Structure formats: structure tokens, C-alpha cells
Amino acid sequence: MNRTIRVFSGRKFSSKDIELIRWIRKTYPKLSRKELAGTICELLGWLTPAGRAKIQQCLAFLEKLEGEGIIELPPLDKQKQRRCAVKIPELKVSTEEIRGEARDFEPIHLEIARPGEELKRWRAYVNQYHMLGDKWVFGSRLQYFIKSREKELGCLQFSASAWALTLCLVIITRNQP
């Protein structure tokens, strides 16, 4: 019998998992958000293929649970928060659903998002349409627009951390609900 009550970032959670999260928060009220996420990842076995805790995904899930009134997170430590010098504009773009097969859009090509307005637009798309928003990626990275002629179909990023593991593609399309 499937006991999954929700799925987040590819992980299935049962009611027992949610109760464990609530118990950890109640039992260890002095843990910071990051410590709380690390503890939850360890106890639930929520790890990357390399065996590291999925802290960022867990933090996003905890914020979702807090938004639903299931748990109350510790307050953010304003002194530890990073200040982002770049303001990401919110774009008003067509959210018209893109339908068809890949051959309907050929030729499809990648176009590098160059520093300046293109990169700001790329970041704005990811910030608006990716479930985690635009997060700072460490190391070398290249951002691309996926295009069919001049129509933008999505965004793609290659980063050094992904190159070290295997080829990893993340496609963000505008036709997501």
C-alpha cells in the first residue's frame, strides 16, 4: 500500500515522515533552520547520490510546510543572511502553453545568455518559473536560452559541479502551471 501523502523535489513523504519533522522541531527548538534541515535529512535519509544531505531542498520543503501551518520554523538570523547585490526584475512574459513535438520547433538551438540584459532576463525566468528560484551556483557555469528560431522555449544551465558528476540538464519551460 502506498503511504505517500506528498512529494517534494522528487522525494516521497509519508504521514510518519511529517510527524517526525514536527517531532524534531518540537524536541530541538534551538536548532537553526540549517541545523534543523540537516537533522531531518540525516534521519530521513534524504541524501544526494554522493551521500550529502539535501539541505537546500529540505529548507524549501520546510518553508512550504510552514506556509501551510504544519510547522513553525525558527526565525531567520538576519546577520547570517547574504545580501544580494543584483536585483532580479520580474518579467511580464507570455505564459501561453507551448504544445507540439520537438520536430515542430526545429531547428532548436542554444544561445548563451550574455552578461547584461540577457543574463538578467535568464535569471528572471529561472527566478519566476523554477521551484527553487534563482540560486547562486558556485564555480564555473554557463547559462543558455533554448530557442526555436527567435522563440524562447526554456532555460538551461551547466555548472562545474554538474560537470564533475555527469552531464546534468535542468530545463525550465514557461508552460508550467
Side-chain angles (χ1 to χ4, degrees):
M1 177 181 226
N2 186 354
R3 300 196 185 285
T4 300
I5 62 167
R6 65 172 61 212
V7 177
F8 185 85
S9 191
R11 190 192 192 290
K12 296 176 181 177
F13 291 89
S14 67
S15 57
K16 286 185 178 182
D17 294 333
I18 302 300
E19 285 307 312
L20 178 64
I21 291 169
R22 294 177 76 191
W23 178 84
I24 294 167
R25 177 65 183 118
K26 183 178 178 184
T27 306
Y28 304 102
K30 300 218 185 263
L31 291 179
S32 69
R33 288 178 181 225
K34 191 170 183 178
E35 292 168 329
L36 178 64
T39 302
I40 290 167
C41 286
E42 183 178 339
L43 293 175
L44 292 179
W46 197 5
L47 309 171
T48 67
R52 294 188 185 102
K54 291 191 168 187
I55 302 288
Q56 294 303 320
Q57 292 89 338
C58 187
L59 286 169
F61 183 58
L62 292 174
E63 287 172 3
K64 184 173 179 64
L65 292 177
E66 182 177 48
E68 295 172 11
I70 295 171
I71 63 168
E72 185 178 332
L73 291 174
L76 287 170
D77 185 346
K78 299 291 184 189
Q79 293 177 342
K80 289 185 180 179
Q81 284 183 315
R82 292 183 181 173
R83 305 265 186 254
C84 182
V86 179
K87 179 108 172 133
I88 302 169
E90 186 163 323
L91 296 178
K92 300 296 181 205
V93 295
S94 169
T95 55
E96 177 185 330
E97 186 173 348
I98 301 170
R99 287 186 166 262
E101 296 183 27
R103 68 174 169 242
D104 298 335
F105 298 97
E106 290 178 346
I108 295 173
H109 64 280
L110 299 180
E111 189 175 290
I112 290 178
R114 306 232 179 259
E117 292 305 312
E118 287 182 11
L119 191 53
K120 286 180 185 175
R121 191 172 78 252
W122 187 94
R123 292 184 71 201
Y125 278 139
V126 173
N127 198 48
Q128 282 182 248
Y129 295 103
H130 191 277
M131 66 182 182
L132 298 177
D134 181 41
K135 302 291 184 187
W136 187 256
V137 178
F138 294 97
S140 300
R141 62 201 165 279
L142 285 174
Q143 293 92 350
Y144 296 90
F145 291 107
I146 303 168
K147 297 183 94 174
S148 169
R149 295 169 193 82
E150 292 304 309
K151 185 177 186 76
E152 291 175 350
L153 302 175
C155 298
L156 174 76
Q157 176 172 274
F158 291 101
S159 63
S161 57
W163 297 331
L165 297 172
T166 58
L167 178 63
C168 180
L169 302 178
V170 178
I171 299 175
I172 293 75
T173 60
R174 295 184 304 184
N175 62 344
Q176 293 180 356

